[in-house]
Amino acid sequence: MTPHFTLAELTHTDHRTLDNTPNAAELANLQRLAEFLETVKTTLGGKPIMINSAFRSKAVNDAVGSKDTSQHRQGLAADFRVPGMAPDAVVRALLKLPFDQIIREYDAWTHISISDKPRRQALIIDKAGTRVFV
């Protein structure tokens, strides 16, 4: 898809028995997401970006207990880790980008999503609930 992000890694799932094949619209969104992730990588100084989850079919999304409204369902979101960087530092470094949502999740990974009309929501989700990232 792009120099650093493949379709295989953006559609990877540990739920190997479930189909996680994107349709044409989802594939187009994944292309946009991969291009945006290249900007994320550049902004982070070229550090490796390890994708935990990006596109999720309905079956995969249901299996992980996520809502149907998740942007992962459309191929517009990715959860990732950056070796050597805490999720707080990742979020702070990316706040200037035109994201829809950026979320520090459980102080373990970063969620980022894109949209045509970015809301620029920066949040924290953990055992204490959901709140604004400050």
Side-chain angles (χ1 to χ4, degrees):
M1 299 200 94
T2 64
H4 298 102
F5 300 97
T6 66
L7 179 60
E9 74 182 310
L10 296 176
T11 58
H12 172 80
T13 179
D14 289 335
H15 299 279
R16 299 176 204 284
T17 60
L18 300 176
D19 183 24
N20 202 42
T21 306
N23 64 30
E26 294 158 346
L27 193 58
N29 286 341
L30 282 170
Q31 182 65 47
R32 287 179 48 211
L33 180 63
E35 291 166 7
F36 183 75
L37 289 170
E38 290 290 346
T39 301
V40 168
K41 184 174 180 67
T42 299
T43 302
L44 296 175
K47 289 182 171 47
I49 295 175
M50 312 302 291
I51 304 294
N52 298 342
S53 177
F55 174 73
R56 295 184 199 142
S57 66
K58 173 143 178 59
V60 171
N61 201 59
D62 289 350
V64 300
S66 189
K67 297 177 182 176
D68 281 338
T69 56
S70 169
Q71 289 171 295
H72 289 277
R73 287 280 298 111
Q74 301 167 32
L76 294 171
D79 296 340
F80 64 95
R81 294 172 292 103
V82 179
M85 281 187 84
D88 272 353
V90 172
V91 170
R92 281 191 194 91
L94 300 178
L95 285 173
K96 63 184 174 185
L97 296 182
F99 57 83
D100 188 53
Q101 286 186 317
I102 192 165
I103 307 171
R104 185 197 83 195
E105 294 195 41
Y106 300 95
D107 205 24
W109 67 86
T110 304
H111 164 99
I112 199 161
S113 64
I114 58 173
S115 73
D116 292 333
K117 295 181 181 179
R119 295 174 287 173
R120 298 188 49 80
Q121 289 184 328
L123 304 169
I124 295 171
I125 295 176
D126 58 21
K127 291 180 183 179
T130 302
R131 59 196 178 280
V132 174
F133 182 93
V134 288

